[in-house]
Amino acid sequence: MAHQTFPSNKNIYRCPQLHGLTTSCVATTILVQLDLVSPFQLYFNPLLIIKHYQIWRLVTTFLFFGYVGFNFLFNMIFTYRYCRMLEEGSFRGRTADFVIMMLFGGACMLCCSMFCSLPFLGQAFTIMLVYVWARRNPFVRMNFFGLLNFQAPYLPWVLLGFSVLLGNSILVDMVGIAVGHIYYFLEDVFPQRSGGIRLLKTPRFLFTESPSLWFWVASLPH
């Protein structure tokens, strides 16, 4: 898989969002694998959310990567790796800002899903994390399965190509890339331009509440 050619940071940093997200994904997959929960109870369906108040679908659409197999393991590894590197890197000490990125990205993907009919958005969410990390680390050299060497900004596109080779829809990855680019532009590019401002300001209450936010999300009924 893709990895950097420089040594990783050995300092352990507490990542509440990472732990909450990965635990929720694994728990959801186990429940489905054991037939305790059906994927039909998890996918994003605006009509069921509005008419039958199945609000949990706003969350569970991001937590199911399919049954245990290569696709599940591949997505979980990338989710864990790049979520952790973001929290230990550009979001270190900025937990609330990281929560805002996840909420903003999730909201944008849900809006896209209403027009693109994407039932599950976990893979798109992973690609968004990869895209933001890649754009913030443009000079990092990457290696993909020992076959390709390239700069970090190309990683999302390499993953998109790999996904196509596996027979997956290109639309899911494109949504993740698009949302990641929107966030990167609003957070890193636009504020640096003449007359630009930071539009994604973090609410003050999140500075104290954000460490427990993902654990609250994980407790929502599936």
Side-chain angles (χ1 to χ4, degrees):
M1 73 186 58
H3 62 275
Q4 302 98 310
T5 56
F6 61 85
S8 61
N9 188 350
K10 295 183 179 180
N11 294 326
I12 298 177
Y13 174 62
R14 181 173 175 80
C15 305
Q17 283 70 37
L18 169 62
H19 297 157
L21 177 60
T22 53
T23 299
S24 299
C25 291
V26 172
T28 300
T29 302
I30 291 175
L31 290 174
V32 174
Q33 197 73 28
L34 296 176
D35 290 328
L36 298 176
V37 174
S38 168
F40 292 103
Q41 297 174 275
L42 306 176
Y43 76 98
F44 178 67
N45 187 317
L47 293 179
L48 292 178
I49 293 172
I50 296 173
K51 292 186 177 181
H52 298 279
Y53 309 107
Q54 297 182 5
I55 302 176
W56 64 84
R57 293 178 184 271
L58 294 171
V59 176
T60 55
T61 183
F62 296 100
L63 303 181
F64 184 61
F65 292 100
Y67 291 93
V68 175
F70 178 79
N71 190 60
F72 167 75
L73 294 175
F74 186 84
N75 279 286
M76 284 304 303
I77 290 172
F78 271 81
T79 299
Y80 180 88
R81 183 177 183 83
Y82 289 95
C83 185
R84 178 178 179 179
M85 288 197 292
L86 280 172
E87 286 202 89
E88 293 181 344
S90 58
F91 286 103
R92 188 178 184 89
R94 299 171 54 215
T95 301
D97 292 332
F98 192 64
V99 170
I100 287 297
M101 183 197 72
M102 299 176 91
L103 293 177
F104 173 80
C108 289
M109 290 177 196
L110 290 173
C111 291
C112 291
S113 181
M114 288 191 288
F115 298 99
C116 302
S117 298
L118 297 175
F120 293 104
L121 297 167
Q123 184 172 325
F125 193 84
T126 298
I127 291 294
M128 180 196 73
L129 296 176
V130 172
Y131 185 92
V132 173
W133 177 87
R135 292 303 298 265
R136 289 181 171 178
N137 296 271
F139 303 111
V140 175
R141 293 288 299 172
M142 309 294 297
N143 180 279
F144 191 72
F145 287 115
L147 300 175
L148 295 175
N149 292 293
F150 50 88
Q151 298 292 108
Y154 292 103
L155 178 58
W157 303 102
V158 171
L159 293 179
L160 185 149
F162 184 69
S163 182
V164 171
L165 290 177
L166 293 178
N168 298 326
S169 171
I170 191 176
L171 187 58
V172 177
D173 287 3
M174 286 301 299
V175 167
I177 289 174
V179 172
H181 182 73
I182 292 172
Y183 175 82
Y184 172 76
F185 178 82
L186 293 178
E187 185 71 6
D188 293 22
V189 178
F190 184 66
Q192 304 302 321
R193 294 189 173 180
S194 177
I197 59 173
R198 188 184 180 199
L199 298 176
L200 299 177
K201 294 183 179 180
T202 304
R204 294 186 62 85
F205 76 90
L206 278 180
F207 285 102
T208 56
E209 298 297 332
S210 59
S212 60
L213 180 61
W214 264 108
F215 296 100
W216 173 80
V217 170
S219 68
L220 289 175
H222 291 180

